[in-house]
């Protein structure tokens, strides 16, 4: 048996260990005392921020009208934009450059298509996880099914979800699931660079969704300042605000909160970019990309946003100096286009002369890229798409019976119904409310509740549910003429004070669409005197002034009836209130089927709402809120 030597006593090692321990201690003290800066402080750090916002369950591409110069002629082309597979292709292209990449989502990932109605967020978070997000901030629509459902969705997320101004400590389903900020680290030849990302959500969320439970939404500015201070105390000198507050609010925060370098925004669906490049596609931006704002410390803050539905992938490259200050930047946001294109009812073969000419025109703008979706993501999408295909493609009306039960002619739209234009679908939706509820005389529909356009051609159930995705029911109640005016006054006040139109352009204020009633808005007047010209439209085609003392039967959706969009006055109307249980998308489908049985469907006659401004205001004078403004000029992003 092998024998082991007896161990030496501890005292025998002390003379040898003393100098070694002293050296180790000296090295540790030096490391602790060293500032947390890169090893090569003179080396600049370049970071590319890839971002999306307001994807709203748009897992598949959406069709948008682009106006292009094709073979010397200006033509309207329907293009497929966005979709998760196409978004993956775009991100892969950025990752292939090998630089430092920060991938962000600025909120409202869910609600807006049948995918959310059927899969309740599971499909959306499956794809977002696979995209490799570094962080996302909370949007108001994340609360559309209440805090408990939001908690279940957040449990699916493999990335941090942030909102520094949201206190969810009293809501068990959300407590501990929402962070204020996150720090991302990047290994560079000069050392480790650290970037802080702070989240912020709109304080209007409780007014714009069904329930936030016991969650509190605080003033974003103090919360952001506190997060900036915490990051600075940890040696982080490069800070990105991930904001679901809206383009104008983001600019205000940039001017008033020191320490921010970049604000990546959402909520208002703002298209930013080069005016000339986007004009080549028939689009007009709300501002430049990035929008440079002078912060309170005199430093430039870069504000960006990426339109909506994943149709644009934002890409901002920022160079920071050793102090964490912006030394330069470049921008390459792109509309994510995939083939084939459509012209009228015809699909264009990509290999044809027309197909090649359209693609060349799109890419020549410099604002868009054309590519196919990622094959792996397309395969992942297939089983989800298969489950909703029957809903998506079911015709409204037509042989075999649609949701309206009619046979024969199907519902076909004569022209595009585009939000914020003369052919806004809002009045048609309001008409469907009246048609569904017997005895109703007036209908109210909020502009923010209409989420999609309806394009010319046969109408499917999938399109209808895309327009009205929330599953609201119709609620009827009695209201006096005075109470009706008060509701409209509150609606305008909410939009001006809480959700002002982009760039303060009061011509584009989101309106309450009506049936059975017309009215005039004077947005520059004080609250209480902004609404006049209230006129009842009778079934026989005649009109009469709305009597302040008379009682009328009003129908609206359950969201507005519950006080949504700041309508406390509507919530308080209790006389003969009845929740009919009728779903608003069913009402629209049935109304379209009935109209379609008689021929092609045209927009209802109008205007029903007029916005009146003084002649002195930029020479604009009076205009209908439903005049033929181009699609991009409408900020419909409730």
């Amino acid at each position: 048996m092998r024998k082991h030597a007896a161990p030496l006593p501890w005292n025998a090692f002390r003379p040898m260990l003393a100098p070694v321990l002293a050296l180790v201690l000296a090295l540790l003290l030096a490391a602790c005392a060293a500032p947390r800066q890169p090893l090569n402080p003179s080396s600049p750090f370049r970071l590319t921020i890839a971002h999306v916002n307001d994807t709203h369950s748009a897992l598949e591409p959406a069709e948008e009208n682009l106006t292009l110069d094709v073979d010397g002629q200006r033509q309207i082309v329907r293009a497929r934009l966005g979709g998760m597979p196409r978004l993956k292709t775009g991100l892969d292209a950025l990752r292939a450059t090998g630089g430092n990449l920060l991938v962000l989502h600025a909120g409202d990932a869910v609600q807006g298509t049948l995918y959310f109605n059927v899969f309740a967020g599971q499909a959306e978070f499956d794809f977002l996880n696979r995209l490799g997000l570094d962080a996302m901030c909370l949007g108001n629509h994340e609360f559309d099914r209440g805090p408990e459902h939001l908690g279940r969705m957040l449990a699916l997320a493999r990335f941090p979800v942030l909102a520094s101004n949201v206190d969810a400590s009293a809501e068990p389903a959300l407590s501990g699931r929402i962070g204020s900020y996150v720090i991302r680290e990047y290994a560079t030849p000069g050392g480790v660079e650290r970037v802080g990302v702070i989240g912020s959500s709109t304080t209007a969320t409780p007014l714009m969704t069904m329930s936030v439970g016991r969650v509190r939404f605080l003033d974003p500015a103090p919360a952001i300042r506190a997060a900036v201070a915490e990051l600075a105390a940890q040696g982080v000198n490069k800070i990105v605000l991930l904001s679901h507050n809206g383009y104008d609010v983001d600019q205000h925060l940039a001017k008033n909160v020191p320490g921010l370098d970049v604000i990546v925004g959402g909520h208002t669906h703002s298209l930013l970019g080069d005016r000339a490049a986007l004009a080549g596609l028939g689009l007009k931006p709300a501002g430049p990309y990035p929008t440079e704002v002078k912060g309170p410390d005199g430093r430039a803050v870069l504000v960006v946003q990426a339109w909506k539905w994943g149709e644009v992938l934002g890409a901002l490259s920022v160079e920071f100096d050793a102090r964490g200050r912006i030394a330069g930047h470049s921008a390459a946001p792109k509309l994510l286009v995939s083939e084939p294109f459509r012209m009228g009812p015809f699909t264009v073969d990509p290999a044809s002369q027309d197909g090649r000419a359209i693609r060349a025109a799109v890419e020549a703008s410099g604002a868009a890229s054309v590519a196919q979706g990622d094959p792996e993501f397309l395969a992942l999408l297939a089983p989800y798409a298969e489950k909703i295909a029957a809903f998506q493609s079911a015709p409204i009306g037509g042989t075999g019976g649609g949701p309206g039960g009619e046979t024969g002619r199907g519902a076909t739209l004569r022209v595009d119904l585009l939000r914020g234009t003369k052919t806004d679908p809002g009045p048609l939706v309001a008409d469907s409310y009246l048609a569904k509820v017997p005895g109703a005389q007036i209908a109210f529909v909020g502009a923010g509740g209409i989420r999609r356009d309806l394009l010319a051609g046969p109408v499917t159930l999938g399109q209808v549910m895309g327009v009205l995705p929330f599953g609201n029911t119709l609620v009827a109640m009695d209201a006096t003429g005075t109470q009706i005016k008060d509701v409209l006054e509150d609606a305008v006040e909410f939009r001006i004070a809480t959700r002002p139109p982009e760039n303060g352009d009061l011509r584009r204020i989101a309106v309450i669409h009506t049936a059975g009633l017309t009215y005039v808005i004077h947005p520059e007047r004080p609250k209480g005197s902004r609404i006049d010209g209230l006129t009842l439209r009778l079934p026989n085609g005649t009109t009469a002034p709305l009597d302040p003392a008379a009682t009328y039967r009003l129908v609206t959706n359950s969201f507005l009836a519950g006080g949504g969009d700041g309508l406390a006055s509507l919530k308080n109307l209790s006389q003969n209130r009845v929740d009919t249980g009728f779903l608003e998308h069913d009402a629209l489908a049935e109304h379209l089927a009935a109209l379609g049985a008689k021929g092609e469907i045209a927009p209802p006659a109008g205007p029903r709402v007029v916005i009146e401004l003084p002649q002195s205001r930029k020479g604009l004078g009076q205009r209908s809120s439903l005049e033929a403004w181009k699609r991009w000029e409408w900020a419909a992003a409730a």
Side-chain angles (χ1 to χ4, degrees), residues 15 62 81 102 134 136 153 206 354 381:
L81 270 62
L102 180 68
D134 288 294
M136 170 181 155
M153 291 195 296
D354 285 341
L381 181 61

Side-chain angles (χ1 to χ4, degrees), residues 300-341:
V301 181
L302 307 181
V303 178
V304 294
Q305 194 172 144
W307 209 14
K308 39 79 176 171
W309 304 343
E311 295 181 1
V312 169
L313 176 59
L316 178 69
S317 292
V318 184
E319 186 175 290
F320 295 92
D321 64 19
R323 296 178 299 168
R325 298 196 172 189
I326 295 176
H329 68 269
S330 60
K334 296 289 184 183
L335 273 76
L336 301 176
V337 182
S338 56
E339 294 173 308
F341 299 98

